[in-house]
Amino acid sequence: MKKIISFLLAVFTLLSPAVQAAEKNQMDTVMINGTTLISARDFADRLGFELMWLSNMKTVIFWNGEFELRIQTDSPEFLVNDLPKLTDAPAKILNDRAYVPLRALAEAIGASVLWNDQTKKPEIKMTGTKMLTREVAERGNFF
């Protein structure tokens, strides 16, 4: 019995980093009316942005050296470097987390969003923008 338990613990220990890596690469997204919303934290981490939550205004602010994005929950308008843009899927609070419209924000910073039919997940590709950090640029495909 001790050998079986030891074997199972060894297998679990060996597989644990692989499971953690797979979980880390999974996006925290939800689909609402055909639009993919991504958690604000996941968007910021994957694209190299800093993140701030203004709870009194229910507003998420993303920034890096080139862009500042401001999006208020339940509003069809968001700001990119203080210029107004519209989205057909406003940011939402779900399970105490802010979710933002993936395509609208990604395209606002010059990225293209593609749907991968095999993985059933969106992919973001950055083209022609200097906002990328070295780590993000090396990954190329973000999802």
Side-chain angles (χ1 to χ4, degrees), residues 61-109:
I61 301 173
F62 302 96
W63 76 94
N64 63 15
E66 187 175 357
F67 295 104
E68 180 182 286
L69 307 170
R70 291 176 175 256
I71 187 164
Q72 188 173 23
T73 59
D74 298 317
S75 172
E77 185 175 276
F78 65 100
L79 299 175
V80 180
N81 295 342
D82 293 323
L83 297 173
K85 303 270 185 184
L86 291 175
T87 177
D88 55 355
K92 296 281 183 196
I93 300 294
L94 304 168
N95 299 321
D96 295 325
R97 297 185 76 168
Y99 286 81
V100 297
L102 176 59
R103 181 175 300 278
L105 293 185
E107 289 179 351
I109 60 170

Side-chain angles (χ1 to χ4, degrees), residues 4-25:
I4 292 173
I5 292 173
S6 295
F7 174 75
L8 291 175
L9 285 173
V11 168
F12 178 74
T13 302
L14 290 173
L15 292 178
S16 182
V19 170
Q20 290 172 356
E23 288 174 356
K24 186 177 179 181
N25 287 330

Side-chain angles (χ1 to χ4, degrees), residues 10 32 83 131 140:
I32 297 180
L83 297 173
M131 64 74 58

Side-chain angles (χ1 to χ4, degrees), residues 8-140:
L8 291 175
L9 285 173
V11 168
F12 178 74
T13 302
L14 290 173
L15 292 178
S16 182
V19 170
Q20 290 172 356
E23 288 174 356
K24 186 177 179 181
N25 287 330
Q26 282 203 307
M27 288 186 297
D28 183 8
T29 61
V30 294
M31 188 76 82
I32 297 180
N33 296 328
T35 299
T36 302
L37 301 181
I38 186 170
S39 77
R41 171 57 53 205
D42 208 2
F43 182 86
D45 289 347
R46 289 175 183 270
L47 293 172
F49 280 86
E50 297 293 322
L51 170 70
M52 184 182 349
W53 169 248
L54 302 177
S55 59
N56 60 332
M57 298 173 59
K58 295 187 177 177
T59 299
V60 180
I61 301 173
F62 302 96
W63 76 94
N64 63 15
E66 187 175 357
F67 295 104
E68 180 182 286
L69 307 170
R70 291 176 175 256
I71 187 164
Q72 188 173 23
T73 59
D74 298 317
S75 172
E77 185 175 276
F78 65 100
L79 299 175
V80 180
N81 295 342
D82 293 323
L83 297 173
K85 303 270 185 184
L86 291 175
T87 177
D88 55 355
K92 296 281 183 196
I93 300 294
L94 304 168
N95 299 321
D96 295 325
R97 297 185 76 168
Y99 286 81
V100 297
L102 176 59
R103 181 175 300 278
L105 293 185
E107 289 179 351
I109 60 170
S112 59
V113 179
L114 309 168
W115 182 256
N116 185 324
D117 281 329
Q118 289 181 321
T119 63
K120 304 292 186 216
K121 294 181 182 178
E123 296 177 355
I124 294 180
K125 295 203 185 241
M126 293 301 297
T127 55
T129 182
K130 60 186 178 186
M131 64 74 58
L132 295 175
T133 63
R134 175 173 288 132
E135 176 187 274
V136 172
E138 288 171 356
R139 287 196 315 240

